[in-house]
Amino acid sequence: MTTESMPHRESAQTAVPVIAPYGDLDVDNLEPLAARLKAAAATSPAVVLDARAITFGDSSFLRVLITVHRLTELRIAAPRPALQKLLELVGVDRLFPIYPSVESARSAPAPAAGR
């Protein structure tokens, strides 16, 4: 996975960045995703991870999600059933919201001040 393979969309209406990686996300290819998420977190009170095309995530992927969650409100959008199950099994679904679609994640109310 390269940085070019991860589209970045930003909604003019809500200005919530959307990062859309795809494929298997593991220790061997996570650095570009981590960098994009951290950069978005530095400039926005919320970031959406469009998870529709993520086919696999390992513990390194979960670590990246938790790290970004500490920087901003991380919103997971449209995870596939296997990824949804992983998030639930390890309990990180209680750390950050999971939305059924990118649109619902982008249009969610802004996080409380002081986040």
Side-chain angles (χ1 to χ4, degrees), residues 52-70:
R52 291 179 290 189
I54 297 173
T55 55
F56 172 81
D58 70 358
S59 60
S60 300
F61 170 65
L62 295 173
R63 181 181 41 80
V64 167
L65 297 184
I66 292 167
T67 299
V68 173
H69 163 72
R70 292 178 178 151

Side-chain angles (χ1 to χ4, degrees), residues 33-53:
L33 174 61
R36 295 286 298 273
L37 287 169
K38 289 175 186 175
T43 62
S44 179
V47 175
V48 173
L49 177 70
D50 178 352
R52 291 179 290 189

